[in-house]
Amino acid sequence: MATTTLTTLAEFEKAARQKTSEFAWSYVSRPGKDGQTHTDNRQAFKRYRLIPRNLRDVYIRDTSVTILGTKLDFPIAIAPTATHRLLHPDAESATARGAASMNTAMVLSSWSEHSLEKVAAAAPRGVRWFYLLFYRDRGRMKRLLVRAERAGYTAIVLTADQPFFTFSFRKVPSTLPMPLWFPNIYLEDVPPGALGSLELADYFKKTIKEAATWEDVEWVRKNTRLPVVLKGILSVEDAKMAVRLGIDAVLVSNHGGRQLDGGPATIDVLTNIVRAVGGEAEVYLDGGVRTGTDVLKALALGARCVFIGRPALWGLACNGAEGVQQVLQILKDELNLTMARSGCAKISDIQPSLVVHESYYLYRQMLHLPRNGNNMIPKSKY
């Protein structure tokens, strides 16, 4: 199916599945454990209902937004994800070009298969942030921070919700359609071992610091001139701690449901995090965003921008940079239309009053149910 005929993210997901190897699709789609959190990320958006304001002048809409001082054409950016070459030979460079063509941001993963300098050269006018791992050797971290600054990256992203990594790469096929390597992690150009090998797993164990702490986050903030974004925040306490340490933005995320299964959907905790930071840091969200309506709901509940992970990879698998651009264009167009139908001409018009949780209606219905002699709501016979 030609990508020009694809009009929704659901269609891109189906088309990408047909184009992608079994191993690659399994890796990209894998939820954590039973997939409860992964599934709930999507379903939770449906629990919020829109209350539109009508008869407003929405003939012209402006979807632009400013995040960390940079103006984007719309508040939808690309989250850090690993090993894009599994989906397209141009890997992260193609993803960066797709994002740049839409004037939105991309977070480059440390697990990318193109170096941060190569990705910068592929999309020199793009808005790029760098996702930095915590290393045992802080000298290496400092060198990576300097490299990111020199290459034009405008923010550093740290992940808070991944205390341990799975370095075994289980179920890696004996032969892959292309070699995989991680130039932002290796010190040398030659990988220390094949993907799935004990040598490579041992290298990662000795190099990457697992179970990082707030002290590591504070060290990064003090050792870079770039804004710092903390990704993986779900609790009010962690949000307040991030603010106390001077973090510039928090990304409400549960890692796409790939880490701790059984946690809440990100949209369900968003308002608590927004309230906790009290305007002292920008708040973003990822997890389960599949339509422009989802985007508007997240913005109404306090997110300044949303990030997508898997959908960008579906576009990449279908048609490289152009596929990424098409996925972003679909979301932008859907957001634009949803804004018009909700009475919003610009992003600042999207207010909390536009959204209500479905439990509000359930509660009102219960209040008006007939009661028995004990003043109790009768149980349904079903």
Side-chain angles (χ1 to χ4, degrees):
M1 181 182 295
T3 56
T4 53
T5 66
L6 304 178
T7 59
T8 67
L9 266 61
E11 291 175 355
F12 263 96
E13 181 179 14
K14 183 178 180 180
R17 176 66 186 92
Q18 297 171 351
K19 284 177 170 279
T20 306
S21 71
E22 191 65 35
F23 170 71
W25 187 256
S26 175
Y27 177 77
V28 168
S29 303
R30 174 181 59 83
K33 296 295 182 180
D34 296 328
Q36 177 186 358
T37 300
H38 171 260
T39 300
D40 201 37
N41 272 344
R42 292 195 188 191
Q43 294 180 343
F45 277 98
K46 295 180 175 60
R47 297 196 287 265
Y48 293 85
R49 310 299 171 82
L50 294 175
I51 309 296
R53 296 299 307 276
N54 298 317
L55 298 176
R56 291 182 169 185
D57 184 1
V58 292
Y59 185 73
I60 298 175
R61 275 92 59 204
D62 179 8
T63 61
S64 64
V65 67
T66 298
I67 61 173
L68 296 182
T70 300
K71 186 176 181 180
L72 307 180
D73 282 357
F74 56 107
I76 305 164
I78 298 178
T81 51
T83 58
H84 290 199
R85 190 177 290 177
L86 287 173
L87 301 157
H88 193 276
D90 291 339
E92 290 81 11
S93 294
T95 310
R97 288 196 299 270
S101 69
M102 294 295 292
N103 191 33
T104 192
M106 170 192 172
V107 184
L108 180 70
S109 173
S110 282
W111 298 98
S112 69
E113 292 160 272
H114 286 179
S115 70
L116 60 91
E117 290 85 359
K118 183 174 183 178
V119 173
R125 300 184 65 180
V127 180
R128 299 175 308 279
W129 296 356
F130 182 61
Y131 158 50
L132 178 72
L133 295 176
F134 294 104
Y135 293 94
R136 296 179 184 274
D137 178 7
R138 283 184 170 171
R140 172 183 283 201
M141 294 177 67
K142 183 63 177 179
R143 291 191 295 272
L144 280 165
L145 289 170
V146 171
R147 283 176 58 190
E149 292 179 17
R150 289 177 176 172
Y153 290 75
T154 54
I156 297 298
V157 178
L158 303 172
T159 292
D161 63 350
Q162 195 173 21
F164 294 99
F165 292 87
T166 302
F167 292 125
S168 61
F169 291 98
R170 290 171 294 179
K171 299 183 180 180
V172 175
S174 57
T175 58
L176 287 168
M178 74 294 290
L180 298 178
W181 68 302
F182 308 107
N184 297 318
I185 298 178
Y186 303 150
L187 284 175
E188 307 294 340
D189 290 337
V190 180
L195 191 66
S197 69
L198 292 177
E199 292 82 4
L200 185 60
D202 185 61
Y203 175 84
F204 287 148
K205 278 285 186 183
K206 291 179 179 178
T207 303
I208 297 169
K209 180 178 181 181
E210 297 184 290
T213 66
W214 286 106
E215 194 272 335
D216 295 296
V217 173
E218 187 174 20
W219 183 91
V220 172
R221 187 189 63 77
K222 291 180 177 179
N223 282 271
T224 181
R225 294 175 294 180
L226 300 178
V228 176
V229 181
L230 194 56
K231 175 180 177 289
I233 298 299
L234 293 175
S235 76
V236 165
E237 293 79 10
D238 286 349
K240 290 180 177 179
M241 176 63 79
V243 168
R244 285 197 292 271
L245 291 182
I247 297 301
D248 300 277
V250 296
L251 175 49
V252 179
S253 172
N254 53 33
H255 223 96
R258 293 169 69 93
Q259 293 297 311
L260 177 66
D261 199 25
T266 51
I267 191 69
D268 284 335
V269 300
L270 176 60
T271 52
N272 289 338
I273 304 303
V274 171
R275 193 177 302 115
V277 302
E280 296 186 55
E282 295 184 2
V283 179
Y284 316 132
L285 173 140
D286 72 17
V289 175
R290 297 293 183 267
T291 67
T293 302
D294 293 342
V295 177
L296 187 138
K297 290 175 180 178
L299 299 180
L301 293 175
R304 193 176 187 88
C305 182
V306 303
F307 287 74
I308 59 171
R310 293 180 179 94
L313 297 180
W314 301 337
L316 180 68
C318 287
N319 200 19
E322 185 176 345
V324 175
Q325 177 184 359
Q326 289 171 308
V327 163
L328 291 168
Q329 186 69 59
I330 287 171
L331 286 172
K332 181 183 178 183
D333 290 344
E334 289 180 352
L335 172 62
N336 197 318
L337 183 59
T338 305
M339 286 174 60
R341 289 172 171 168
S342 301
C344 302
K346 55 187 182 298
I347 296 298
S348 60
D349 292 338
I350 303 174
Q351 297 295 317
S353 60
L354 287 173
V355 177
V356 63
H357 194 272
E358 66 178 12
S359 59
Y360 168 80
Y361 296 106
L362 178 61
Y363 174 72
R364 290 183 63 85
Q365 290 168 6
M366 291 178 65
L367 287 179
H368 291 88
L369 283 174
R371 299 172 183 268
N372 58 28
N374 296 322
N375 201 36
M376 298 293 291
I377 299 175
K379 293 183 179 179
S380 169
K381 64 180 180 180
Y382 303 105

